[in-house]
Amino acid sequence: MQVNYSLNNFYEITETNVQTLPNKTIIFENDLKISNREFKRLVDVVAEFLFANGITHGDKVALVMSNSWQFIVNVFAISKVGGVVVPVNNFLKEDELSYILNDAQAKLLFSSSKFAKETQSLLQKTNIEKIVWVNGCPFENEKNIDYAKMIAIPLSGKQETYYPTTLTDTAVIVYTSGTTGKPKGAMLSFKNIFSNCEGCKNLMNVKAGGIKMLSYLPMFHAFTFTVTVIFPIYTNSGVIVIPSIAGIKDFKNLLKQLLFKRCPYFVGVPDIYKAMARAKLPWYFHWFHNVKGFISGAAPLSEETHKKFSQSFKRGELIEGYGISECSPIISCNKPGENRIGSVGKPLADYKVKIFDENMQEVPLGEHGEICVQGDCVMQGYFNRPNDTEEAIVNGWFKTGDIGKVDADGYIYIVDRIKDLIIHKGMNIYPREIEELLYTNEKINACAVIGEKDDEGNEIPVAYVVLKDNVVTSDNEIKEFLKQNLAAFKMPRKVIFLPDLPRNATGKILKRELRNLHPNNKPGA
């Protein structure tokens, strides 16, 4: 079915919202409330600044910022002048930031002052012409602009600041996590992102204005950006902004906002749900919360986490979804009342998912192969990487790099990443199967299984384990535990205990960093 999109770009959302409900609060941040009318005014002010500083259609503007109302205003202002938003991981170091800004050919940077240590030298290391500093300006001159002073400039109302971008124009370049080499910029059009918004509306059965979202995970991440920033403004509902680090660490405030703002859906990552399952929450939260669906994404959700969360939360289902940056990012999700544990649900409306073998031939129902996606969510391609784009999108199908299967009812099951697959003497070993079993051990807090080359050049599974506090165990004890339910050829040859596992901003374990600990390991995700 063809989707009829009523909007062409982000700025048109603000215009439509103002015409419909000008006084409605669209952004909440602590005690600050920003109405649709005020939001549009702020967007227009920043857009005039961008236009006056030479930013126009196709120019890239980067954001290295904390979660804030300013982040959202900047995104919509960049859209107004026809620029392309480049949200950058604010956990990165100076050289990593330089690489991305140079690769994206960014002309201007918005930086939170708290990241000045890593960003202030980017004027010399990149083609950035100016840095606009949010929440304090380390030093002010013609190339370092104080956001607070810029936003206070009266609006002139010049019409030429608006560039009427279309659905097929690039809206955002999202840099992938770089699990295999350097990060690549996935170009997402307005149609790509709006298709996700329409899919979420259908999934959640949302009426206009009916789904405020808490935005506490990092806004630069594709999952957070689409689902908790663009989507609630797209539906004229409202974004509740919570600073990233505070949001994850301060459960009291996070759950207070969830309770009092009456959010029908809560979006999180597995680590959040593990913490919520362990937390001793007040009885009234469980009694009065309005959440129908606790949606988990961005990393695999273990069945053990699902089980423990469901034991604690009797109201509201924990449902798993699946996405990838290159698909804007949501591909599929379960629905409350139609939840299949272990599955990541059915594709969002109007997306197609098929399982192909290495020759791009569809495999029989229920068999394993690569998950491939077709639909309006699929990116335009990787910025300035035609060869990588051609490799990733074949005959209109995006190759996710994930191994999975689809059942007779259309539910998708993810088995593992293709590059995580361990082949031991011709036998396939899926690390996720071993990890799921490890998570059922009461002594284990986190784990990851990777392939390592032995002396004969064969791949063997190695388990990296983080224990819970004040717990003692041994390599042999873990192996004995696994032997009860695991075939001999799948058994980890080594169990290595670590104080913590390397993770990205949303808690996804970075297996490439574990592989880098051992020179004989295979390269990969």
Side-chain angles (χ1 to χ4, degrees):
M1 183 180 75
Q2 184 86 19
V3 178
N4 292 317
Y5 299 99
S6 59
L7 299 167
N8 286 296
N9 54 56
F10 295 155
Y11 187 68
E12 285 189 9
I13 303 174
T14 65
E15 292 188 308
T16 302
N17 288 352
V18 165
Q19 291 166 8
T20 309
L21 293 167
N23 297 319
K24 179 183 176 66
T25 300
I26 200 68
I27 297 175
F28 302 81
E29 184 176 333
N30 298 322
D31 295 330
L32 177 68
K33 294 180 180 180
I34 299 176
S35 69
N36 276 319
R37 181 187 284 113
E38 176 62 7
F39 179 60
K40 182 178 180 299
R41 188 192 72 79
L42 291 167
V43 168
D44 289 341
V45 170
V46 177
E48 285 194 355
F49 168 82
L50 292 170
F51 183 78
N53 283 272
I55 303 299
T56 185
H57 184 235
D59 288 337
K60 318 301 186 299
V61 179
L63 282 69
V64 181
M65 293 182 62
S66 303
N67 286 10
S68 58
W69 63 265
Q70 293 99 325
F71 183 107
I72 305 172
V73 166
N74 294 344
V75 166
F76 282 76
I78 295 164
S79 168
K80 182 180 181 183
V81 298
V84 178
V85 181
V86 185
V88 186
N89 185 341
N90 57 38
F91 290 12
L92 298 180
K93 299 301 182 183
E94 184 181 299
D95 287 347
E96 296 169 309
L97 293 172
S98 296
Y99 170 80
I100 288 176
L101 266 59
N102 281 325
D103 188 75
Q105 300 172 5
K107 289 182 66 175
L108 189 140
L109 170 68
F110 287 99
S111 174
S112 297
S113 59
K114 66 186 291 185
F115 304 124
K117 180 183 176 183
E118 308 295 346
T119 60
Q120 61 189 356
S121 65
L122 296 176
L123 284 166
Q124 288 75 46
K125 294 191 169 187
T126 71
N127 291 321
I128 291 292
E129 296 168 4
K130 291 184 179 180
I131 299 178
V132 183
W133 296 97
V134 181
N135 293 327
C137 189
F139 30 78
E140 195 174 348
N141 53 40
E142 69 280 359
K143 290 193 173 185
N144 291 274
I145 313 299
D146 188 334
Y147 191 90
K149 292 181 179 178
M150 180 265 289
I151 206 82
I153 297 172
L155 187 64
S156 71
K158 292 179 181 177
Q159 293 301 310
E160 62 265 30
T161 59
Y162 178 51
Y163 187 96
T165 44
T166 66
L167 279 168
T168 56
D169 280 304
T170 303
V172 184
I173 297 179
V174 176
Y175 274 77
T176 62
S177 55
T179 52
T180 53
K182 293 287 189 181
K184 299 188 289 285
M187 297 184 292
L188 303 179
S189 69
F190 293 104
K191 180 189 279 188
N192 290 152
I193 293 172
F194 290 169
S195 79
N196 250 215
C197 292
E198 288 294 324
C200 288
K201 276 175 66 177
N202 292 330
L203 175 79
M204 302 177 189
N205 193 25
V206 176
K207 294 181 174 64
I211 187 155
K212 292 191 202 74
M213 299 293 288
L214 278 175
S215 193
Y216 66 97
L217 295 169
M219 287 179 175
F220 61 75
H221 192 275
F223 182 43
T224 313
F225 183 88
T226 295
V227 182
T228 70
V229 175
I230 301 300
F231 175 58
I233 298 178
Y234 183 85
T235 57
N236 205 357
S237 300
V239 181
I240 304 150
V241 178
I242 297 176
S244 306
I245 295 174
I248 293 172
K249 292 185 176 178
D250 186 3
F251 271 111
K252 184 177 179 182
N253 180 47
L254 185 63
L255 297 178
K256 176 184 173 184
Q257 294 291 335
L258 183 64
L259 184 66
F260 287 106
K261 294 296 192 301
R262 308 297 290 160
C263 300
Y265 285 88
F266 177 81
V267 175
V269 295
D271 275 6
I272 294 292
Y273 294 116
K274 282 174 67 176
M276 289 175 73
R278 292 195 303 265
K280 293 180 180 179
L281 303 178
W283 65 269
Y284 58 81
F285 177 82
H286 288 289
W287 190 260
F288 291 112
H289 79 72
N290 192 45
V291 183
K292 292 188 291 186
F294 293 90
I295 301 174
S296 180
L301 178 71
S302 72
E303 291 192 24
E304 189 66 15
T305 297
H306 198 291
K307 175 184 171 184
K308 290 183 177 179
F309 185 89
S310 299
Q311 288 171 348
S312 178
F313 287 78
K314 306 299 183 185
R315 295 176 61 239
E317 289 184 78
L318 177 55
I319 57 179
E320 190 172 6
Y322 168 54
I324 191 165
S325 297
E326 291 90 338
C327 290
S328 311
I330 306 172
I331 295 168
S332 67
C333 193
N334 281 285
K335 285 185 180 182
E338 301 176 26
N339 191 20
R340 292 197 183 178
I341 297 173
S343 160
V344 292
K346 296 180 181 180
L348 296 189
D350 307 307
Y351 300 167
K352 293 179 182 177
V353 169
K354 289 187 177 182
I355 310 298
F356 291 115
D357 63 18
E358 61 273 13
N359 297 315
M360 290 300 287
Q361 297 297 312
E362 190 173 1
V363 303
L365 190 68
E367 289 194 11
H368 293 168
E370 184 169 8
I371 299 171
C372 295
V373 185
Q374 190 179 78
D376 285 351
C377 63
V378 174
M379 68 171 180
Q380 297 171 307
Y382 294 114
F383 182 63
N384 276 348
R385 283 182 166 79
N387 292 339
D388 287 335
T389 301
E390 190 175 329
E391 190 177 309
I393 304 174
V394 178
N395 298 325
W397 291 92
F398 175 73
K399 300 170 67 178
T400 65
D402 289 317
I403 301 170
K405 65 178 182 178
V406 175
D407 69 17
D409 296 318
Y411 285 82
I412 303 166
Y413 296 80
I414 298 174
V415 177
D416 228 316
R417 290 287 295 169
I418 285 176
K419 292 183 176 66
D420 285 351
L421 177 67
I422 300 167
I423 303 176
H424 178 69
K425 296 182 178 180
M427 301 289 285
N428 288 355
I429 301 171
Y430 296 108
R432 188 171 174 182
E433 180 186 0
I434 306 169
E435 291 161 359
E436 288 279 354
L437 190 54
L438 285 167
Y439 273 119
T440 65
N441 188 309
E442 291 295 328
K443 293 185 176 182
I444 292 174
N445 186 48
C447 65
V449 175
I450 66 168
E452 181 182 320
K453 295 286 181 67
D454 64 14
D455 294 338
E456 297 176 356
N458 292 309
E459 287 182 320
I460 57 171
V462 175
Y464 287 83
V465 169
V466 177
L467 298 175
K468 292 180 180 176
D469 292 340
N470 304 315
V471 165
V472 176
T473 188
S474 67
D475 176 296
N476 287 335
E477 185 179 333
I478 296 296
K479 289 179 179 177
E480 286 299 318
F481 172 80
L482 290 173
K483 275 183 185 177
Q484 302 170 44
N485 293 289
L486 201 63
F489 77 92
K490 299 178 183 177
M491 281 291 299
R493 305 307 189 266
K494 292 187 283 186
V495 178
I496 299 172
F497 297 98
L498 295 177
D500 205 354
L501 296 174
R503 297 174 184 268
N504 70 7
T506 56
K508 186 176 181 180
I509 295 168
L510 299 175
K511 291 189 175 183
R512 73 175 183 275
E513 294 196 15
L514 294 175
R515 291 194 184 97
N516 289 339
L517 297 175
H518 298 278
N520 291 332
N521 286 356
K522 65 175 184 177

